[in-house]
Structures are given as structure tokens and as C-alpha cells.
Amino acid sequence: MNFVFISPQFPRTYWNFCDRLKRNGVNVLGIGDTPYDELPVELKSSLTEYYRLDTLEDYDQMLRAIGFFTFKYGKIDWIESNNEYWLEQDARLRTDFHVTTGVQADEVGRFKSKSGMKQYYREAGVPTARCHKVTTIEAAKAFLSEVGYPVIVKPDVGVGATDTWRLDGERALDNFFANLPKAPYVMEEFIEGDICSYDAITDAGCSPLFESMTVWPPSIMDIVLEQRDLAYYVAAQMPEPLRRLGRATVKAFGAKSRFVHMEFFRLTKARKGLGKVGDFVGLEVNMRPAGGYTPDMMNYAHSTDVYQIWADMVSANRRLLPERGEDHFCVYASQRDCFTYRHSHQEILNRYGERIVMCERMPEINVAQMGNQMYTAHAATQEETEEFIRFVTDRV
């Protein structure tokens, strides 16, 4: 089996995907824009060959790279990046090279458009916030007469909280339309709730081989815009209502043979037409693993190896790794260099000692969302999880 892994060097821990594929006897071929000498040793040892490009944005260069691999190694069986930024390009390359193991160019739109996602949620029986495609201010005001302020405006196709704003009144609305972005935007009713993700690895029949829940702060947008501290955690267990809705969403979207990250609101305030406090409401789907080091946090929380489960899905369409039966919380909390905190780096290390499983400086590209210095730790209970977050993020 020939597997082309695009940009395998980012995020840093993605070398694990390549390593597990190699262990399963897969021929792993990498394409990236990092010089070979700068790749981590673990990644180099996992790749049969690496094709370096000046930029992955140049589609002609990508075509030549995969054409070279095809000439040298034969038909390509998989093309994947597991990275939100490259999903559309992945799909286009699969279509051009007749690789049928993933999403095709004419299918990827339903995974990328926030407005387009709504119909698939309806098919799954999952309630979602009311949404309006931004056109004119008059049309926006008509929508606002139904849902009221505040509303969220965001790119119809976008990654994370980039270029996303909350509009709290007419002045903010007027300012938004006075500087209306050229890209298509959507306006969505504001929902008060925690964000809980259904994370899964699915087989070719859209059935889960692995499932996990991650609880995120209510607004990544506020973290980016207001430089708040990011803290989130992988839960020890998943509520059955989320499991049911997550599986239904996977089926509706046809999310087969993938690592998926599907976000839901867990309502903290009842919303007419959506549900009562504690109910789950669909937010958006992402056809790739959760961001940052969250896959590693899943491993720590569930005493497993999601990279191996994913590689088994690729090579055997089933889970070969047994359940280990040990579930914990795994919690992430970060600090920013521009603020002063009550507890120093050394105090955090002294207090939590062996419970800390990851501790490092974040790459500059991730700082806006994830902070400068991260700490990730095991926790036995919800209370321990929340106490860790308070200790790390408490500012002077």
C-alpha cells in the first residue's frame, strides 16, 4: 500500500501517524515544505521517501510530486494530510489521481461550508443554531428580528476562530457592513453553552473504532481576540446523548475512513427551538483530528494509541488494538508571556510533578489560540481538572 502523507511535520506529533503506518507495512511517502535535514529523526525513519516543495500552495508542484511517486512506486492508495488547511487540496488530488479511499473534490464542500452543514445535521436529527448567509444589511436586520442580538459572524468556509466576530448591537452591525469582507460570511444566532467535541476514528462503513469527548472553552474567538488563557480537557467518559448524536452526524455526513472532530454546544441556558440546559446542539464538523496535541491527550486519557487505531483503520479497516479499560481526564492549560501569573513555571512543576505528561513552548503559529507555554496533566476527577486549570491560569 502506498500512502502519501502531506505536511507530515506539522503539527509536531504527526510523525506518529507515519510511524504507525510503517509498522503496519505501509509504504509512507511524505510531501512537505520543510527541508529534509530539519525533519525530526522520528519522522525521517518513518518515511520511505520525502519530496520537498518550496510551497504546498502550488498545485502544479503537488501534481508533479505525486506524479513522481506514482512513477516510482506505482498506484497511490491513500492521500491525506489530517490537516484542516489542506482538506480541499487533498480531495482535489485524490480525484485527479483516482484515489478513492477519501473525500473527492465534488464532495468536500459539505464538510467545509458552515451553511452547507445545516442540511446534514437535519438529516441526522441534530438541532443547530439558525443561520443566515450574509448579503445586505437589510436582510441581516430581518434575520436579527427573528433571533435577536448578539449574533456571531464568521467565514462560511474557515478554520478556527479566524476573522470571527460577535455583534452585540446596531453599531457593531453597521461597522461590520461598513467593512464587509469579500469572502462569503454567515450570521448565526448566539448560543450560550460549553463546546463539547465528539472525536472519533471511523471505518469504511462510518462506524466508530474509537470515540472520545473533549470539553472546550465556550469561545475560542474570545481567546484569540482578547488573549485569554486556553484551557480544555479530554473527559474520562462520554455522555450517551453526545455519543448518539455524534454517531448520527457521522452517518449523515458520510464521514468514512477518517479521524473526525465534531463540535457541539452543551446548553448552559435553554434556547427555544433548540433545547433545555444540558442538551447538545450541533455547531460544526471537521474532517480531521482535533487541533494541537489533542490526539496525544486522548492517548493519555484513555490509555490507548489513537495513531495506531487510525493506522489499523487505513490498513485493515478495523481496530486491532484492544481496549485497556483505564480512563482518566487529561487537561491542558497555558500561559502567555505578556501576562504575570500567580504561580511560576517551577511552582507548577513542583506541585504536579509526575502528573504532568507534556510541558513545552508552543510554536509561534499556535500562540494566538494556544498560548506560549503549555502544561498538560493527568487528573482523576472533574474537580482535579478544574483545580489544575485554576492553578496554571491564575493571573496576578
Side-chain angles (χ1 to χ4, degrees), residues 238-258:
M238 179 188 297
E240 282 306 311
L242 179 61
R243 190 186 309 275
R244 176 177 55 82
L245 293 177
R247 290 180 177 183
T249 304
V250 165
K251 290 284 187 183
F253 277 86
K256 63 181 181 179
S257 303
R258 298 202 64 78

Side-chain angles (χ1 to χ4, degrees), residues 57 59-60 139 170 225 372:
E57 303 276 1
Y59 193 70
D60 286 341
E170 297 236 351
L225 298 179
N372 296 97

